[in-house]
Amino acid sequence: FGSSGYSSSRPPPFTQKNPYQSASGCLANLATMGISRDSRHKHRHTGGRRNIHQKKRKFEMGRPAALCKLGHKRVRSVRGRGGNMKYRALRADTGNFAWGTEHVAKKVRILDVVYNATSNELVRTKTLTKNTVVQIDAHPFLQWYSKHYGIDLHKKKKGGKEEDTEEKKSFKVLGKQQARAAGQKIDPTLDDQFQTGRLLACIASRPGQSGRCDGYVLEGEELAFYKKKLEKKKKN
């Protein structure tokens, strides 16, 4: 046995320096990882490879997708370039939706995700992105329509007869409502949706950037287009 306590026939225990402490070790590789939006890694138009002659730049940095889900509101703030702030909506369940033909917008609950042109996986996981088709609660619009035109779109029927649940109104209010309703027409497809209490709507904002989930009620040709898509999806 030597001074170290190990026999000459037995090798000493293997010791290695921590590679993360070395500038030439894994730390250098870890520093180059991350999401980057540069195009230096791409081939030339002719198909040749480019030699990378500079490091990644902070202004080319990318971030992971927010993938906002349907749920109780949860928003995080992110500092961007120049001190500008972005707001990441990680969960959202309400938003301001506009009814275009009636020029009115209401804050409503988002009930379900029904269609996304990107992938059915986003529908399965109830992910809210721009241009996602969702189902929203129709009751705020029903209440406004009833107050503005004096017409209840969500009629309750018993034995084939409509219930008479009208409130007492002044002649002035009745005159205003009748004048408004004189030239009023509603899309039959939209009227059918009001009977169910759910409307198809499209998200127009970017939840991962603005922290909001706003959009508009689908009408006309756009509504017919998405109706066909949903019917085709059900058949398959």
Side-chain angles (χ1 to χ4, degrees), residues 185-192 218-221 223:
K185 263 193 175 182
I186 188 166
D187 186 0
T189 316
L190 203 61
D191 194 15
D192 293 338
L218 292 174
E219 300 177 85
E221 291 181 2
L223 177 59

Side-chain angles (χ1 to χ4, degrees), residues 58-81:
K58 181 72 183 286
F59 58 80
E60 294 167 346
M61 182 185 73
R63 296 187 185 91
L67 298 175
C68 177
K69 299 288 193 297
L70 186 62
H72 187 65
K73 185 180 177 182
R74 190 189 301 169
V75 180
R76 300 287 180 267
S77 57
V78 179
R79 185 190 180 277
R81 186 173 168 85

